[in-house]
Each structure stands twice: as C-alpha cells, then as structure tokens.
Amino acid sequence: MVTSAPQTPPLSRARLRRDRSPEHATANRFIPHVQGLRAIAVLFVVLYHFWPGRLSGGYVGVDVFFVISGFLITAHLARELTATGGVDLGQFWARRARRLLPASLLVLLFCAIVTAVPLLTPTSAMPAEVREILAATFYVENWYLAFSSADYLALSGEPTTVQHYWSLSLEEQFYVIWPLLLLLAAWVAVKWLRGDRLRAAAIAIGVVSVASFVFCVVYTITDPAPAYFVTFTRMWQFGVGALIALVPRLRTNNAALSFVLGWAGIIALLYTAFTFDGQTVFPGYMALIPTLGAAAIIAASNTDRWWYPTRLLSIPPMRFTGDISYSLYLWHWPLIVIAPSVPFWGLTIYHRVALLGICFVLAWLTKRFVEDPVRSWKPLTSRRPRVTLWASLGAMVLVGAVAAGGWAANISSYQQGVQAIEDARENPPECFGAASVLEEGCADAAPDTILPAPGFAGADSPDQGECFIQLNDSRPVACEFGSDAPDAPRVALVGDSHAYQYLATFAAIAEREGWHLTTYFKGACPWNATPLATPGSFGAACSDWRDAVGQKLVDSDFDVVFTSAISNTPYASAGYDSSYDAAVAGYQAAWATMTDRGIPVVTVVDNPVWETDPNKCLRTRDAAECTGARSEVLVENDPLRAAAEGADGVTLLDFTDVYCDADTCYPVVGGANVYRDQDHLTVTFADSLAPQFTAALREAMESSGD
C-alpha cells in the first residue's frame, strides 16, 4: 500500500528522471478520486481488523491497493519510458526506498522493541515474532507466511505484530519485477515492433496478467492457504491497474459512463466488504469482484457533478485518509495485537474506538514527520541512488539487529519458562487444575501460582506436530504410543485440533496404563460424516481424510475410540433443517461405524472459545479480571453433546462446570492456566483431566466386554 501526493504538471525530462515513484505516477495530473479510493481500501482493512464480524470481507481492501499500485506505478514508468526510452532502475528503486522504508522500518523498530518486553509480548511468542520481523524487514513476509500457512498449528494462535507486512512485501517485489518487465517489453518493441514501447508493454502485462489469474484460480482451488500470499497469484491484480494506465480507451471522461462505472465499482466493493468472509474461496476467481470494482472507479474520470462518485471520493476527509493510508495501515495492526496486553486497557467498544483514533493520530504524525521529510532529504536526494540503497540496507540491518538483540536478552527467560512447563507437567501441585473442582476436599486448596505462566502458555502444546495433518492433506497419518504388547488394550484418539490438544495427556495415560494408543488428527476436520460447509479443496480434503480414517478404524481392532471437536465447525446443511442438525446426524453416523460393531466411543463436550487469548489479560491483570461471560465464550448447544446423549455405546464427558459457573467462565482453574491460545487447552491443564479420561476409557472397555 502506497500513498500519493499532488504532482505538478508538465515535467522536464530531467525532472522525470528524478521523480520516479507512485506518488507522481498519474496519467498527466494528480487524480484526487484515486486518493479517495485509497481511503476506502485502508478503511476496509482497518475496520475489518477492529470489527471482523461487522465487515467480514474488509480484507479486500488489500486487493484494491494492488490495483491502485499497478495503475500508478505503470503510469509513471510509461511516462519515463516514452520520454527517455528507458527506465533508470537505480533512481526508481531509490525513490521507492525513500518513500516506503522510513515509515515501514519505524513501525518494525517499534514492534521489535515491544517484542522484547515480556509484559507486552509473551516470551513463548518471541521466536515467531523475531522471525517474522526479520522476514518483514527484508520484504519476504508473504513468502514466510505462504510456507508457514501449510502449518495449521502455526497459525492457530495469536498472530504476530507484523503479519500485515505480507502485502507490503508483495508490493515491494512488484516494484522490483515490474520495471524489469517493462524494460524487456521495450527491448522487444525496439527490436521487432517498430519501437512501439507502450504497446509492447501492454501486451506483455496482458500476457503476464492472464497467466497469473489462471494460476491464481487453480492454486486457490488446490492449495488456498499459501495461495493467498504467493506473489504470482496476486500479480494479475497489479496488471489490471497497469492496463488502465497503458490503454487510454479503458479510461473515460464521459459523464454518463463515469457515473455508471464509478457507482458500479463502489457497489462492487461494498458488496464484497459486507458479504465475503473467511469461507469465501479467495483470492481465486472471487477476487475479480473487488479488483474490477477498483478498476472501474479508477477508470471513471469525470468529476463534473457533486453526486458523481469521483467527486465524492475527492472530498477533503477522503483525501486526508488517503494521504495517511500507508502509515495508517502500518500502525493499526500492531496496536490491535498489543492493546489487550496493556495494563488498564480492555476490549470494549470504547477502547476500540479510542485505539482507532490513536491509529489515525500516529499515522498523521508519521506522514508529517517521517514520510514527507525523508522523501526529500537532501543528503539522499542530492547523491547517487546507490547512497539511498546502501543507507536503506543499513537501516534494515539495524532493525533486524534490534529484533535479534531483544531475543538474545530474553532467551534465558524463554528456556526457564520451557523448563517450568516441564516441571509442572511432571510434578503438578495438589488439588491442581480440574482436581480443584472434581475432587473432594480440594474446594479451598487450589494453589495460588498460575502454571504455566501466562507468558509461556502458548508453548504448552503437544510436541508431536508430525501427527497432525493440515489443510489440503488428506493422508490418514497414524501415530502410535504406549505399549507394544500384542494383548495391550487398543485405544484410538481421532478428531481435529481439539482432539490433538489431548495427545500428550493420552500418550501419558497409555504409557501408564499399558494401553496402545493410535491417533488420527486433521486441522478443522472433526470425525463426522456430514461434509463441511467450507468450499473448495479444504472441504474436499476433509471428506477424503474422514473416508480414509474411517476405513482404518473399520479395519483395525480397537477396544475404544475417543474423539472431540471444536463446537463451532461449519457443516453443510443440505438435507437437514439446519447446520446444527446436520452436525448432530453426522456425529451419530460416524460413531455408528464403531458402536454397531460393539466398539464403544467416548467423547467430551467442547471447552469455551474466547474472542482473544486470555493470556494477554493474565500477563498484566489479576485472573479475577480476565473472566468471560458464559453466554459469550461457551456454545451451550454443542452438537456433539446432542449426538452423544442417549446414543448406545457412547460415553459423554462434560467438564463445563470445571471451566464455568452459572454465569462466568475462567481462564485459570485451580492454579492451572487453562488456555494456550483463544480456544486450545494447555497440556498442563489437560493433564489435570487425566483421571477422568482414564476412568471413562476403562469403564467403556469393560462394559463392551460384558
């Protein structure tokens, strides 16, 4: 995302060679309504991050930025190409560095410092924060996320403060690739097309854009998680903006056509912002709607009447927001991530509105005192481009060094925290965790110390990530634990990440009891016969995994099967009155494949799911201040409960009264820190439920043998 500033008309060739950046890249003049479009884009993203439930498709604002950047950058490069016959790459990249890096590196430096402060960043999260700060500093964050997005567990907790830099990284890669593409097209034009450089550029961009769009559609279907971040799946969106800049016929000053195009574009953007959500297949072909909507608004140039969208987008508040959009985008996300950890700060509507105001103030200050001064700083602008580029590299190395230094200062605390988790698992205190509620004599004997500490709860997860199948993988991967004796009772543990959270606990039970444990896990894919409502390859992979695991269960001689699942999984409702009814029927059908053969099933009602990781609150507040209303964090009508009640051969465990009383749910129970993120249990707390799990499994096996 880049911001623009007014361009002075008719430029000399020398001036053209100096002023090479998107803020000057208009056709021949500053276009105010593009600033307004930029304001819409940044407001979409910011409001989506503040209130995702209210603007579920606000993430399309990033796509709008891509179109704007493609238009502005290409218009500028085309003017230089026409005027000089080439592109001064050094000057172009130096301008980009002076324009974008000061604000970007300032925010990254802020994030690096915050990461080193344990009160604001959990120590267990520091390795991930430092890795992503380094990736963002050197503009490869989108590729880092593309690779790590294949790991469902890596993204299941709280995001880092710099995760939003993926789009900036992608744009920087565009700034490197695009002028090289245009220079190649110009060379081809001189050699074979009679010197028509712009025509050659349009053809080259058209070919690249078509190829990118096809790749985007196919890759989104086959592997949607990394497809969202990969550079080439997004290049066509820059290309759409570029073609508007290169082909004059795609822009219109006709009053009626501008009116229709402009309002159609705005309606398209509003439609996507309010109707798209996390289940939308995206980017893929659905990205055409916001992309073409943004393109239509750019193409509509007539501003004769006040009711024309181009005129409305040019009003001062929209232009002001567009001016600060780059810094606003940079600041808003780290503040959202950090705010819940700040003492005396909450998540009420008033806190969110105040934080939004703070974001605008910081964005204006950054624009006024960082972006604009550095862009025209004479020690850089009066020297060769390589001075700017070397200075930029030095600043990037400095930010990286600060991030690495913060990690070095906290590494001993990190190691101590990890050791504390191991100690708590091996030797828990008396009346600890669930025992404080479930065991007689423990009502007033719970320990005061919170274990694991809020700064390390995020690291208290099962260690066997190889047993957890993710995203589009449908292989029925099995892991084996416990006794290898031929006559050892055989237990299966099956389900999604809310089954995986019990893996370490069940492995310890199997070892202790002399049982043999076999596990099958897949992220966001419960053991249920009803298809997910999630479209595309992810939903298909879940169905394929279930079929394969179901066959494994049928072919194996298990004594009991344990399963659990998150309560808010979206199920396809076709053939049922509701998604809830479909989920209930699906559980019963899946379990019947075991119970009909006399193999008992044990399951558990899901734990509460919080809006944000309660450890953020626990790091700075007393546990009594970090509770959640039962009506807000607990799904009372868990379809798993309804499926189990009254079903033959199914044992239902319900620990709701451990997590909650009649009105309130608690993040700390009996001194045990319950959650490692907003919805997954710590292994330490899950271990405190081991006696109940052991008894239920033993009783189920004994009853099936009668």
Side-chain angles (χ1 to χ4, degrees):
M1 279 129 271
V2 291
T3 58
S4 62
Q7 173 180 337
T8 55
L11 301 175
S12 67
R13 180 171 296 188
R15 176 75 177 277
L16 276 170
R17 294 186 67 83
R18 290 196 303 269
D19 296 338
R20 296 181 171 88
S21 65
E23 64 265 28
H24 296 287
T26 60
N28 282 304
R29 66 191 188 283
F30 174 65
I31 306 178
H33 79 271
V34 172
Q35 281 298 81
L37 179 59
R38 199 187 303 268
I40 289 178
V42 76
L43 289 175
F44 274 6
V45 174
V46 171
L47 294 178
Y48 165 67
H49 285 153
F50 270 91
W51 294 282
R54 302 293 180 87
L55 199 69
S56 60
Y59 55 81
V60 301
V62 172
D63 303 77
V64 176
F65 276 119
F66 292 161
V67 179
I68 295 173
S69 292
F71 171 72
L72 295 177
I73 287 289
T74 306
H76 163 68
L77 291 172
R79 290 200 312 275
E80 182 182 358
L81 199 61
T82 300
T84 68
V87 174
D88 188 330
L89 294 176
Q91 278 284 14
F92 174 79
W93 289 330
R95 277 293 288 190
R96 290 290 80 224
R98 290 196 298 270
R99 175 65 188 87
L100 299 177
L101 262 62
S104 173
L105 294 180
L106 173 65
V107 175
L108 286 172
L109 183 62
F110 168 80
C111 293
I113 294 171
V114 166
T115 295
V117 180
L119 283 178
L120 298 177
T121 302
T123 308
S124 63
M126 286 186 183
E129 283 280 356
V130 171
R131 284 194 297 268
E132 291 201 34
I133 289 173
L134 292 174
T137 300
F138 294 96
Y139 290 98
V140 291
E141 173 71 356
N142 65 313
W143 287 104
Y144 177 89
L145 292 177
F147 288 121
S148 63
S149 68
D151 184 354
Y152 174 87
L153 294 179
L155 301 179
S156 62
E158 289 295 321
T160 67
T161 55
V162 299
Q163 190 166 300
H164 63 315
Y165 271 72
W166 75 268
S167 62
L168 304 179
S169 298
L170 199 152
E171 288 212 23
E172 289 296 332
Q173 293 156 26
F174 163 75
Y175 298 144
V176 172
I177 295 171
W178 218 242
L180 296 176
L181 177 64
L182 293 186
L183 282 175
L184 176 62
W187 178 79
V188 171
V190 171
K191 195 166 183 66
W192 287 299
L193 298 178
R194 300 179 181 178
D196 193 342
R197 295 178 177 86
L198 296 188
R199 179 187 173 197
I203 293 173
I205 289 172
V207 170
V208 169
S209 298
V210 170
S212 172
F213 177 71
V214 172
F215 177 75
C216 175
V217 172
V218 173
Y219 199 27
T220 300
I221 293 173
T222 58
D223 208 357
Y228 193 84
F229 304 108
V230 168
T231 305
F232 200 62
T233 61
R234 299 294 193 150
M235 202 57 64
W236 66 276
Q237 296 178 296
F238 294 95
V240 169
L243 289 174
I244 298 174
L246 290 174
V247 183
R249 292 183 180 180
L250 295 179
R251 303 189 300 273
T252 180
N253 199 41
N254 177 271
L257 191 55
S258 288
F259 178 85
V260 172
L261 275 178
W263 280 115
I266 289 176
I267 291 171
L269 294 183
L270 291 174
Y271 170 79
T272 57
F274 284 99
T275 62
F276 283 18
D277 57 25
Q279 303 302 318
T280 303
V281 179
F282 204 86
Y285 63 90
M286 295 298 287
L288 276 171
I289 301 177
T291 301
L292 295 181
I297 294 171
I298 294 173
S301 302
N302 192 289
T303 59
D304 288 345
R305 301 289 186 270
W306 69 265
W307 59 84
Y308 285 13
T310 47
R311 187 78 163 267
L312 295 175
L313 290 176
S314 303
I315 62 176
M318 297 297 286
R319 290 180 58 176
F320 170 78
T321 305
D323 284 342
I324 66 170
S325 61
Y326 179 56
S327 289
L328 182 59
Y329 181 84
L330 289 172
W331 279 113
H332 86 283
W333 181 249
L335 295 186
I336 288 174
V337 173
I338 296 164
S341 299
V342 176
F344 312 111
W345 196 270
L347 291 172
T348 67
I349 181 65
Y350 306 105
H351 287 107
R352 292 173 190 258
V353 171
L355 188 62
L356 181 60
I358 292 171
C359 290
F360 270 86
V361 171
L362 281 175
W364 177 80
L365 290 173
T366 304
K367 175 76 163 57
R368 174 69 177 81
F369 296 105
V370 178
E371 289 186 55
D372 292 344
V374 175
R375 185 171 52 190
S376 56
W377 195 35
K378 286 187 178 180
L380 294 179
T381 57
S382 62
R383 289 176 169 82
R384 293 181 179 275
R386 63 171 173 263
V387 175
T388 294
L389 298 177
W390 279 110
S392 300
L393 180 60
M396 293 163 74
V397 170
L398 175 63
V399 171
V402 171
W407 166 240
N410 287 280
I411 190 168
S412 61
S413 297
Y414 179 85
Q415 293 170 340
Q416 292 170 10
V418 172
Q419 185 62 48
I421 290 175
E422 295 178 359
D423 294 342
R425 290 186 191 177
E426 294 178 3
N427 299 295
E430 294 292 328
C431 296
F432 181 68
S436 66
V437 179
L438 298 175
E439 293 185 10
E440 295 183 8
C442 285
D444 299 317
D448 296 328
T449 304
I450 299 177
L451 296 173
F456 290 92
D460 194 11
S461 62
D463 299 324
Q464 299 81 6
E466 70 278 5
C467 301
F468 191 89
I469 301 307
Q470 302 136 7
L471 298 174
N472 298 331
D473 195 342
S474 60
R475 296 172 298 132
V477 172
C479 288
E480 312 287 340
F481 303 90
S483 174
D484 292 328
D487 59 345
R490 294 173 57 80
V491 180
L493 176 59
V494 187
D496 60 9
S497 62
H498 279 220
Y500 176 75
Q501 69 187 358
Y502 297 121
L503 172 54
T505 301
F506 272 62
I509 292 172
E511 193 69 37
R512 186 167 55 248
E513 297 292 325
W515 298 343
H516 184 86
L517 175 68
T518 304
T519 66
Y520 298 98
F521 305 114
K522 178 170 170 58
C525 184
W527 182 35
N528 189 301
T530 299
L532 298 182
T534 309
S537 57
F538 182 84
C542 179
S543 295
D544 292 342
W545 178 83
R546 289 170 172 175
D547 292 341
V549 169
Q551 191 60 51
K552 292 283 188 182
L553 294 174
V554 169
D555 293 341
S556 301
D557 188 19
F558 287 107
D559 293 285
V560 63
V561 178
F562 186 97
T563 187
S564 64
I566 192 169
S567 56
N568 56 10
T569 300
Y571 291 94
S573 59
Y576 299 93
D577 292 338
S578 65
S579 176
Y580 175 82
D581 292 334
V584 172
Y587 282 125
Q588 292 174 335
W591 300 343
T593 61
M594 296 289 101
T595 57
D596 287 350
R597 299 169 51 220
I599 301 173
V601 171
V602 180
T603 188
V604 61
V605 174
D606 193 27
N607 53 264
V609 174
W610 298 66
E611 181 181 4
T612 187
D613 184 354
N615 287 287
K616 286 187 173 184
C617 178
L618 292 172
R619 289 199 300 274
T620 56
R621 300 172 178 85
D622 186 85
E625 301 178 54
C626 300
T627 59
R630 177 170 174 147
S631 59
E632 295 179 359
V633 302
L634 182 69
V635 175
E636 293 286 358
N637 296 319
D638 187 343
L640 191 146
R641 176 194 279 114
E645 290 177 340
D648 292 335
V650 178
T651 300
L652 177 66
L653 300 175
D654 189 348
F655 299 120
T656 301
D657 290 341
V658 174
Y659 304 114
C660 313
D661 59 25
D663 303 308
T664 306
C665 295
Y666 301 92
V668 177
V669 175
N673 194 337
V674 179
Y675 300 95
R676 59 180 165 90
D677 55 31
Q678 63 267 31
D679 65 288
H680 294 99
L681 304 179
T682 61
V683 172
T684 300
F685 178 79
D687 283 349
S688 73
L689 293 168
Q692 285 69 39
F693 290 140
T694 304
L697 292 170
R698 184 184 294 118
E699 183 177 345
M701 288 188 282
E702 290 173 353
S703 63
S704 67
D706 293 342

